[in-house]
Amino acid sequence: MGLRLPILLLLLCCVSGLPFYNGFYYSNRPNGRNLANGYSEGIFSGVKLVVETPEETLFSHRGANVTLPCRYHYEPALASPRPVRIKWWKMSENGVPEQDVLVAIGLRQRTFGDYRGRVHLRQDRAREVSLEIWDLRLEDYGRYRCEVIDGLEDESGLVELELRGVVFPYQHPQGRYKFNFHEAQQACEEQDAVVASFEQLFRAWEEGLDWCNAGWLQDASVQYPITQARHPCGGLGLAPGVRSYGPRHRRLHRYDVFCFAVALRGQVYYLEHPEKLTLTEAREACREDGAQIAKVGQLFAAWKFRGLDRCDAGWLADGSARYPVAHPRSNCGTLEPGVRSFGFPDPHSRKYGVYCYRPR
């Protein structure tokens, strides 16, 4: 019997399908539970691995530094620390593939892609594995997953990051419905913005955005927000809401686009000038003032977050003429706040001033 026991134990170690032993016996995955967006647990040998992340969405702005919180612990608590592997990645969304952000084992960390040099694992407290992101970019918003891997057991939590911004409809200089999807992406980027997501458009509709022209969204669907039902916009029989044409062909179909611009670090201002300017003169006037001619997304962001209010129409970088009204009054167009547009006038006309942007 004394010889049989060691032989039996040796054979058991070699049988596939048995739990891997590294100090704990791990149960199969179904015993783990995802309790909520910000809380998940896995159970092994009566010990729970629990990952905690915030359930509420985190809001920040471009250029800022932000920390995505993530902690883990064991229940019951363990007497000694255990080596774990940490992985952060940005989840797939609106056709954009998932992106690895950071992996870490102990003090060793590796970052990936556009996040290289901008992220770091924060470990100020025991079992804290929060992700620090520096100099936030427009494309950084989305859902991030924090995964803690202990042997064969892994649990994760979700953190949602949103940038404070404003959705605005954008049209081609030649008129309505001229952009295919790829051209729409480029048009938003040229105006210091990105194509809006459905969630961003829906939030804008909840805040009162009403627009009758259909536009591209980030997932290549085409939709438009209506707060007041009317005949030219789907008829009176449809309730207010975000109307959808569904997914469209990215190259063949043409529409307007809804762009998303985030809060600014710089300043947008109307340049006081003794006379009205052509578009070329407007560009030069901003340069002489130590600035650059503002883009459409920058003007919308200044109106939304800085309360920019001016009744004077001015040139913008795309050749349009617009003005922001935060406090409606009878001599400044309709009695609704917003950015008014004169379209794309003759660039040689001297009817407008200029809005400049000075970075900080």
Side-chain angles (χ1 to χ4, degrees):
M1 182 65 182
L3 182 61
R4 291 179 182 175
L5 183 57
I7 295 174
L8 179 60
L9 291 175
L10 179 63
L11 290 173
L12 285 173
C13 291
C14 301
V15 176
S16 63
L18 290 179
F20 171 76
Y21 181 73
N22 67 342
F24 290 88
Y25 283 109
Y26 288 81
S27 65
N28 290 329
R29 186 71 178 180
N31 289 337
R33 293 188 293 163
N34 289 314
L35 303 180
N37 282 351
Y39 190 96
S40 65
E41 64 181 33
I43 302 174
F44 50 95
S45 189
V47 177
K48 290 190 296 186
L49 169 61
V50 181
V51 174
E52 297 176 277
T53 51
E55 293 188 18
E56 65 276 5
T57 299
L58 303 182
F59 286 89
S60 190
H61 58 86
R62 181 169 53 182
N65 301 333
V66 67
T67 298
L68 308 188
C70 182
R71 297 194 68 194
Y72 70 96
H73 66 272
Y74 299 94
E75 297 178 359
L78 300 181
S80 58
R82 294 176 50 76
V84 295
R85 179 174 179 264
I86 307 301
K87 179 180 179 182
W88 277 93
W89 76 91
K90 187 181 180 189
M91 298 180 67
S92 172
E93 205 164 18
N94 296 317
V96 178
E98 71 176 36
Q99 300 171 263
D100 289 337
V101 177
L102 175 147
V103 293
I105 301 177
L107 298 178
R108 292 179 297 165
Q109 301 183 21
R110 181 181 177 186
T111 57
F112 300 90
D114 291 337
Y115 293 96
R116 193 172 288 121
R118 293 196 303 125
V119 296
H120 181 78
L121 196 67
R122 183 172 179 173
Q123 297 174 291
D124 293 347
R125 296 176 294 174
R127 298 188 176 124
E128 179 184 11
V129 288
S130 302
L131 180 71
E132 290 185 327
I133 307 178
W134 304 311
D135 190 23
L136 279 175
R137 300 175 181 176
L138 259 174
E139 60 272 18
D140 287 342
Y141 77 88
R143 295 181 301 157
Y144 292 78
R145 190 164 287 282
C146 168
E147 184 179 34
V148 179
I149 304 165
D150 181 339
L152 294 182
E153 184 68 20
D154 66 277
E155 290 300 330
S156 64
L158 187 67
V159 183
E160 186 165 0
L161 174 64
E162 185 65 83
L163 301 187
R164 297 190 184 279
V166 56
V167 173
F168 63 94
Y170 191 74
Q171 201 170 78
H172 194 281
Q174 296 179 2
R176 183 171 178 258
Y177 294 176
K178 298 292 185 180
F179 295 123
N180 66 27
F181 178 71
H182 305 292
E183 292 165 345
Q185 288 180 308
Q186 181 179 350
C188 288
E189 290 173 5
E190 290 173 352
Q191 300 314 312
D192 200 26
V194 294
V195 179
S197 67
F198 171 78
E199 291 78 12
Q200 291 163 346
L201 181 64
F202 186 82
R203 190 178 298 120
W205 169 76
E206 289 181 314
E207 295 174 356
L209 181 61
D210 183 278
W211 197 255
C212 205
N213 291 341
W216 291 104
L217 294 181
Q218 194 180 82
D219 61 357
S221 68
V222 173
Q223 310 194 37
Y224 63 102
I226 296 297
T227 59
Q228 295 182 347
R230 50 199 185 275
H231 283 298
C233 302
L236 295 172
L238 293 177
V242 178
R243 312 268 171 84
S244 177
Y245 289 0
R248 303 278 92 180
H249 195 286
R250 294 173 182 244
R251 183 173 55 85
L252 299 180
H253 291 142
R254 294 183 177 272
Y255 296 94
D256 294 342
V257 61
F258 289 99
C259 301
F260 177 77
V262 299
L264 296 171
R265 298 183 70 183
Q267 177 191 12
V268 174
Y269 61 97
Y270 182 82
L271 180 64
E272 299 294 346
H273 198 274
E275 56 187 19
K276 301 299 184 183
L277 306 164
T278 66
L279 178 58
T280 300
E281 292 168 343
R283 295 183 193 278
E284 183 59 29
C286 286
R287 279 195 291 269
E288 291 176 354
D289 201 50
Q292 59 198 40
I293 189 168
K295 299 179 179 181
V296 177
Q298 294 166 345
L299 185 66
F300 268 93
W303 162 76
K304 176 75 172 179
F305 299 105
R306 302 285 176 82
L308 185 62
D309 183 272
R310 186 84 192 204
C311 212
D312 300 285
W315 291 107
L316 295 177
D318 66 339
S320 64
R322 306 173 194 245
Y323 64 100
V325 177
H327 307 290
R329 47 213 184 266
S330 58
N331 62 332
C332 290
T334 63
L335 296 180
E336 295 288 337
V339 175
R340 319 277 195 249
S341 175
F342 283 84
F344 295 84
D346 179 353
H348 301 290
S349 66
R350 283 192 171 89
K351 295 182 179 179
Y352 309 103
V354 62
Y355 287 94
C356 302
Y357 172 68
R358 183 178 290 120
R360 287 180 182 171

